[in-house]
Amino acid sequence: MGIGLPLSPEPPGTQGSSPNLTKILEHSLRPFRGRRTPYPFPKNTMNSQDIRQSFLDYFERHGHRPTASAPLVPHGDATLLFVNAGMVPFKDYFLGAAAPPAPRAVSVQKCLRVSGKHNDLENVGPSPRHHTFFEMLGNFSFGGYFKEEAIRRAWELVTEVWELPAEHLFASVFHEDDEAFDLWKKLSTLPEGRIQRCGAKDNFWSMGETGPCGPSSEIFVDLTPDLPLVDWEEGDASGRYLEIWNLVFMQFDRDASGALNPLPSPSVDTGAGLERVTSVLAGVSSNYDTDLFQPILRAAATLAGTEYRSETEDGVSLRVIADHLRAVTFLLADGVIPSNEGRGYVLRRVLRRALRHGLRLGFEEPFLHRLVPVLGEVMGKAYPELGATEEASVGTVQAEEGKFLSTLASGARQVQDEIETAKQEGRSELAGPQVFRLYDTHGLPIEVLREIAEEERMALDEAGFENELQQQRARSRQSSGGGQQRLARLRQVLAEGGEEEETEFIGYRQLELAGVPVEKTLVLEGDAVSFGPIATGQRGVLVVDRTPFYAESGGQVGDRGRIAWPEGSASVTDTQKDRDRILHYVEVEEGTLEPGVAVDLQVSPEHRLPTQRNHTATHLLHAALREELGDGVRQAGSLVAPDRLRFDFTHGRPLSGEEKDRIAGRVNDKILEAQEAVIVGNRDFDEAVAAGAMALFGEKYGDRVRTVEIPGFSLELCGGCHVGNTGEIGPFVLTSERGTASGVRRIEAVTGRDALDLLRGRDRQLAAAEAFLGVSGERVADEIGQLKARLKASADEMAKLRMEMLAGPAEDDGAREVAGLQVLTKEVPPAPANELRNMADTLRGKIGSGVVVLGTRQDGKVTLIVAVTPDLTDRVAAGALVRRLAPMVGGGGGGRPDFAQAGGKEPEKLDALLAAAPDAVREELGD
């Protein structure tokens, strides 16, 4: 059934009123009852929120610094698409690339695994434990404690806080790690038989082929302790012995030869999936049977007019929807928007997979957006960003749903055209490249393509499709991997150069700096990166300890400028940031640039000053949008460049002309007020947010932040460069407003001299139009509109006359009565396919009730059109008739009951076909 039909908020089979979200939420959030407890937990009544908080509280009591979850989009690490493990936000600490704020940390980290090596997407739904989005509980030591305390804490938490019976637990260790084996015997009550030695595949972790690595130890629970014990391999392989916690001991540094060198400061990285732990403590056999998923599953089932049963196909689809809803909503909350590339493509792919499973459940209209508030009720307490972005997320999901359904409709027409073309060419199969194009370009799922093809008695070359799909995936990996590999190579080379330097940025109000010693230079030759002097004509990267050059960040482009020294000069083409180090990309024009040389740094004011104007204008625009459109507006991306600004924001519809005028006017009013920009460079994060500072979800902030305020109007957390007074911005002109993704709009604008140049250009264009049309400026738009209307009317009239001339009167020839029906057959001159269809419609209207058969010859081929009036389609189907006629001209075709099209390769037989058409109609009638 479709979601638009009346639904009961009560369980299927009960009576209830028409659905509304409040009742659905009430029904969905009832406490989950009927859990199975294969082993006794007499005191354990923890839900997921209790488990999450108990983990944080336990490790905070033992000296760990609580760390909020980082966004799903990793910052400062282009080698990852998403955060896929709890340790990712701490990677720099483990690598020694940055100093940790504390030697111990504890976190509950949002994670996503939908791409690359860690891709669980296809397992989600059938599997009771695979997820795209999940939460990872983790405690970490950066050179502080090691194996003994890690094992002690894990055992104490699991057995005393979470109260898992010790007799139902196992531990595994790396088979060479005698220390860990002995510690488990010492610190736990596990007998030796429950401490398993395993190989490197299971119990040795490494970050890559080289670098930090070490043995690991895992905690397993016996899910059915009431059954006789089985050996370790059988219990592990069957899932009876379930891993609930992994302790990684970073003990070595593996070099290129494979040798393991002890790390000077061994570290600990642990991870426990919240979903898995919750299912174990609840005594249920599936993660989906916990309070993390049950409210969503019940809400989705209620909307679909069904009931969640795990063992059915509908149950699989409901699990996909529940899981993917979490992934989609958290990605949106962290600033990712649907698109056709990168992270946005992954979001769209996950969302559409959920929608396809909705189609299987009978949903015919958008439904997923109605479940977003349910997720907020389930997880909003732990993740406030869900509530803060709920309105925008609902709008984006709803718009994306509508777009997908529209894509299915338009894509189905494309399939029909491809099938008709194939039949005209005498083919009975759609080739692999055709199928892939329909899948990739038009967004049609392969199962939908298969259904349409089967209805039209057409096969799909699925082997060819799969080959095209694999090639596209390979191209995608190669395209995305190239930049990541180059960045990784640059980082690797810099790390090999010794201790990482921190670059001090002093360029907020200073564009020049003299006598700065060069610390490092790297030469760039294609994809190769190496230390060395940068000679005349070469490109490279320069590192200094202080700079006025702003590195690209927060949407603001990197500075450009010049570097000079007594023996040479270079241009700075870009400025980027790697962690706390600022990288100057240079092209040496004269001399040689190398470490030890004292250089003068000069930022181009022609590049920086207009960039500052556009950055402050962006803040004003953001505030004006929220003032005009409401607090549901949030930033979804930005670009601040010297020649323009671009601002993406969440909103479900285009802005009206009046809204755009008011928004631009509000920005210009603030510019004319010439207000001072109040910038505070070292402010407590919590204090700034409490004061009303806009913190962008998906951005990573430290404990100390920088705020930029236009008093009484705008207050944002921002590390970018700004004007000192809004009057410096000059005129603000909004140049365009359009949609870029579902529920996301984009405004582009210019300021300062670029705005003045644009306005002067528009004045010149208006003056030219006035002279050409001979009217005053205020009448130009009306005059152009009238001219366009007259031109369109003339074009429509000419098309109508052409069609009538080609078709001629219905009574001219070919019309005869067959079994009481009018059958009109006619050969017409060659014409485009759309004109032939219009011609058939016109003649069908003239005969009133009957069948029209048109044929045309061109370039050695035949095109055949059959149209049946609506009152006769239950007696004569156009598709069936065209399939009967097309073989007479060496072709094939098909179509709907009221309209069909075919092609053939024997135009010389068209006359015979038209002559035989009345008898074919009689045979279809059964006379």
Side-chain angles (χ1 to χ4, degrees), residues 733-750:
V733 178
L734 196 156
T735 57
S736 70
E737 186 272 333
R738 59 188 176 88
T740 62
S742 300
V744 179
R745 309 296 300 174
R746 170 171 292 174
I747 281 180
E748 297 195 30
V750 292

Side-chain angles (χ1 to χ4, degrees), residues 403-585:
K403 184 176 181 180
F404 179 64
L405 294 174
S406 175
T407 296
L408 286 179
S410 63
R413 289 192 292 271
Q414 295 290 335
V415 180
Q416 197 68 50
D417 289 343
E418 294 280 3
I419 289 174
E420 290 177 2
T421 300
K423 289 181 176 179
Q424 290 174 17
E425 296 172 355
R427 293 187 285 112
S428 60
E429 181 181 69
L430 288 183
Q434 286 178 289
V435 179
F436 178 74
R437 184 173 66 253
L438 293 165
Y439 166 86
D440 190 53
T441 304
H442 299 289
L444 283 172
I446 187 66
E447 56 266 30
V448 174
L449 291 169
R450 193 180 293 119
E451 289 174 6
I452 296 174
E454 288 175 355
E455 289 175 2
E456 293 293 334
R457 300 178 185 177
M458 181 70 66
L460 300 182
D461 175 14
E462 297 204 29
F465 163 79
E466 186 63 30
N467 181 58
E468 293 286 330
L469 181 62
Q470 294 304 324
Q471 290 185 35
Q472 189 241 31
R473 287 173 176 169
R475 289 191 297 269
S476 177
R477 286 193 296 268
Q478 183 177 7
S479 172
S480 62
Q484 294 177 359
Q485 291 170 4
R486 285 191 294 273
L487 177 60
R489 176 60 182 158
L490 178 59
R491 284 181 169 174
Q492 180 182 350
V493 172
L494 284 167
E496 291 170 356
E499 184 177 347
E500 179 176 341
E501 306 83 2
E502 180 177 339
T503 308
E504 180 186 3
F505 175 66
I506 50 91
Y508 283 122
R509 287 292 179 262
Q510 181 177 342
L511 300 185
E512 297 183 10
L513 188 62
V516 181
V518 174
E519 295 195 343
K520 290 182 179 178
T521 56
L522 299 94
V523 179
L524 303 178
E525 293 181 343
D527 292 338
V529 181
S530 61
F531 282 111
I534 311 172
T536 301
Q538 287 187 310
R539 297 182 306 110
V541 173
L542 170 76
V543 179
V544 292
D545 69 342
R546 293 173 298 139
T547 182
F549 281 82
Y550 181 82
E552 180 176 332
S553 181
Q556 180 178 328
V557 299
D559 277 336
R560 298 179 181 180
R562 298 194 61 75
I563 297 176
W565 62 99
E567 297 80 18
S569 63
S571 61
V572 178
T573 59
D574 194 11
T575 310
Q576 295 289 326
K577 195 170 187 178
D578 177 39
R579 303 186 177 96
D580 293 324
R581 178 167 40 200
I582 293 178
L583 308 176
H584 307 73
Y585 287 76

